[in-house]
Amino acid sequence: MSEPEPRDGRLPEEAVTPSSAGSEPEIEPLLPEPVRLRVVALAASALPGLPFDEQPVPLRRVAKFAPNRRARLGGAAIAAQLAGDSLFRQRISSRVIAEVGDLGAAVVEGICPAAADPVEVAALAYLARPAGWRDLVESAGEAVRAEADSAAIASLVRDAEQRTARAEHDRAVARSEADKLRDELSRVSAELGQLREELRVQARQLRESQARERKATEMLATEKGRAARATADHDAELRRLRARLAEAETAAGSARQTAKEARSVDDARLWLLLETIGQAAVGLRRELALEPTDRRPADYVAEAHGDQPGAAASTPRALDADDPARLDQLLALPRAHLVVDGYNVTKRGFPEMSLEQQRKRLITGLGGIAAQTGDEVTVVFDGAERVHGLPPAPRGVRVLFSRKGETADELIRRLVRAEPSGRPVVVVSSDREVADGVRRHGAYPLGADSLVRRLSRN
């Protein structure tokens, strides 16, 4: 059975190691911590150099670790194997002694060089086990403890020196603060004397202001008496004015009654005149035998000069939907309303321009048409392209942008539906869906080229 591994990575304090066949087991010494760490580091560096069959089974996995992790992660296993396996320790010591050279040869011969590191000598002696190796380990431990004591004494001396320096600094700061406090006390004393003098001056000014206040109080009482007399006079005058106001209101009521009676007479005369005109119109309609009709004059003009929605054209010459002459005929109808699909026209007529230039050119051209015909003109653009800072539209031209979530086509159809039946509405768009939609609502659809050619003619 293999030896149990130490819990803290230290070499066991009383591990039994057989020195030779039939001899008494040796008791492992307690190694100082620096010596133990150096023994583990030397063994960890030499472990991968052993042939695989010479590596102890518990350390074969440790041998595959990286050099910087081997001693740190496998230190406990290496220490336990060194303490319990003398053959493994001899193989490691032979490689370590060969690597360190002269120092290793000297340690094997039992010689401790005076200039050598006692920790290194003790680690090599523990691995090689020459005669007197325990003395070398013990002397290394004493050297390490002496060095630790020296370091502790040096640290205490440095701490004492630092405390002394801080005390001197605090004493100097205290003296400086005391000097500042004395100067501050002198300054405060001077300010106190100045404040006392200012207090005397303020007391004298207070007495003077109190005397002026008493005099002002007496003058205020006198002015209050005068104000009371003036108030009484004002109340009397107010009563007189109220009496005159009541008389004026009575006279105004009489005047309103008179005006109302006169207006009633005028209303009766006006009603009689309108009744006479109405009876005359009824008699004239009866004499001419005129029947009521739902058709408007615009319907007859549309039948004579343009296409009816859903019916064939009745003009002697069929005009193309892109013919500007047809646009002129429709705009000649009374009270016509021209609705333009803005970007549909501009992108067919002048696509090489920017959107801002397209809008400006179209709106300017529509202003000329509105000025020539006197018709209502509305141009609709998609709201997605809407920009701020547009120039003012020409007289007679309405510029609209569709709202968020709505297209220009939908806004055009809403404009057409809002018009009264019989009013000629002309919609300019080459979009087939727009044309079919507005035709169902009684509008006259025309292609975008008709308006482009009409504008180029201007």
Coordinates of all heavy atoms in Angstrom, one line a residue, residues 1 37 72 87 161 180 220 239 252 258 271 283 342 366 415 428 433 447:
M1 N 0.9 -1.2 0.0 CA 0.0 0.0 0.0 C 0.9 1.2 0.0 O 1.9 1.3 0.7 CB -0.9 0.0 1.3 CG -1.9 -1.1 1.3 SD -2.9 -1.1 2.8 CE -3.7 0.4 2.6
L37 N 9.9 23.6 -0.3 CA 9.5 24.2 -1.6 C 10.6 23.9 -2.6 O 10.3 23.6 -3.8 CB 9.1 25.6 -1.5 CG 7.9 26.0 -0.6 CD1 7.7 27.5 -0.5 CD2 6.6 25.3 -1.2
R72 N 3.2 23.5 -8.5 CA 2.1 24.1 -7.7 C 0.9 23.1 -7.5 O 0.3 23.0 -6.4 CB 1.6 25.3 -8.5 CG 0.4 26.1 -7.8 CD 0.2 27.4 -8.4 NE 0.2 27.4 -9.9 CZ -1.0 27.2 -10.6 NH1 -2.1 27.0 -9.9 NH2 -0.9 27.1 -11.9
L87 N 13.8 4.6 -3.9 CA 14.3 4.4 -5.3 C 13.9 5.6 -6.2 O 14.8 6.1 -6.9 CB 13.7 3.1 -5.9 CG 14.1 2.8 -7.3 CD1 15.7 2.6 -7.3 CD2 13.4 1.5 -7.8
E161 N 11.5 53.5 12.7 CA 12.0 54.7 12.0 C 10.8 55.4 11.4 O 10.7 56.7 11.4 CB 13.0 54.3 11.0 CG 14.3 53.8 11.6 CD 15.3 53.3 10.5 OE1 14.8 53.2 9.3 OE2 16.4 53.0 10.8
K180 N -0.6 79.0 13.3 CA -1.8 79.5 12.6 C -2.9 79.9 13.5 O -3.6 80.9 13.3 CB -2.3 78.4 11.6 CG -1.3 78.2 10.5 CD -1.9 77.1 9.5 CE -0.9 76.8 8.4 NZ -1.5 75.8 7.5
L220 N -48.7 109.9 9.7 CA -49.7 108.9 9.1 C -51.1 109.1 9.7 O -52.1 109.0 9.0 CB -49.1 107.5 9.4 CG -50.0 106.3 8.9 CD1 -50.2 106.4 7.4 CD2 -49.4 105.0 9.3
R239 N -72.9 107.9 -4.9 CA -74.4 107.8 -4.8 C -75.1 108.6 -5.9 O -76.0 108.2 -6.5 CB -74.8 108.2 -3.4 CG -74.5 107.1 -2.4 CD -75.3 107.4 -1.1 NE -74.8 108.6 -0.4 CZ -73.7 108.7 0.4 NH1 -73.1 107.6 0.7 NH2 -73.4 109.8 0.9
A252 N -82.4 104.1 -21.7 CA -81.9 103.1 -22.7 C -83.0 102.0 -22.9 O -83.1 101.6 -24.0 CB -80.6 102.5 -22.2
T258 N -88.4 100.9 -28.3 CA -88.8 101.6 -29.5 C -88.1 101.0 -30.7 O -88.7 100.8 -31.8 CB -88.5 103.1 -29.4 OG1 -89.1 103.7 -28.2 CG2 -88.9 103.9 -30.6
W271 N -90.6 90.2 -44.6 CA -91.2 88.9 -44.7 C -92.3 88.9 -45.8 O -92.4 88.0 -46.6 CB -91.9 88.5 -43.4 CG -92.5 87.2 -43.5 CD1 -92.0 85.9 -43.3 CD2 -93.9 86.9 -43.8 NE1 -92.9 84.9 -43.5 CE2 -94.1 85.5 -43.8 CE3 -95.0 87.8 -44.0 CZ2 -95.4 85.0 -44.0 CZ3 -96.3 87.2 -44.3 CH2 -96.4 85.8 -44.3
G283 N -95.6 80.5 -58.8 CA -96.5 80.7 -60.0 C -95.8 80.6 -61.3 O -96.3 80.0 -62.2
G342 N -49.0 63.6 -56.6 CA -47.8 64.4 -56.8 C -46.6 63.6 -57.4 O -46.1 63.9 -58.5
L366 N -48.7 74.0 -61.3 CA -50.1 74.0 -60.9 C -50.6 75.4 -60.5 O -51.8 75.7 -60.7 CB -50.3 73.0 -59.8 CG -50.0 71.5 -60.1 CD1 -50.2 70.7 -58.8 CD2 -51.0 71.0 -61.2
L415 N -60.5 62.4 -50.7 CA -60.9 63.7 -51.2 C -62.0 63.6 -52.2 O -62.9 64.5 -52.3 CB -59.6 64.4 -51.9 CG -58.5 64.8 -51.0 CD1 -57.3 65.2 -51.8 CD2 -59.0 66.0 -50.2
V428 N -55.5 63.2 -61.6 CA -54.4 63.0 -62.5 C -53.5 62.0 -61.8 O -52.8 62.3 -60.8 CB -53.6 64.3 -62.9 CG1 -52.4 63.9 -63.7 CG2 -54.5 65.2 -63.6
E433 N -54.9 51.4 -60.1 CA -55.8 51.2 -58.9 C -56.4 52.6 -58.5 O -57.6 52.6 -58.1 CB -54.9 50.6 -57.8 CG -55.8 50.3 -56.6 CD -54.9 49.7 -55.5 OE1 -53.7 49.4 -55.7 OE2 -55.4 49.4 -54.4
G447 N -54.3 60.3 -67.2 CA -52.9 59.8 -67.0 C -52.0 61.0 -66.6 O -52.3 62.2 -66.9

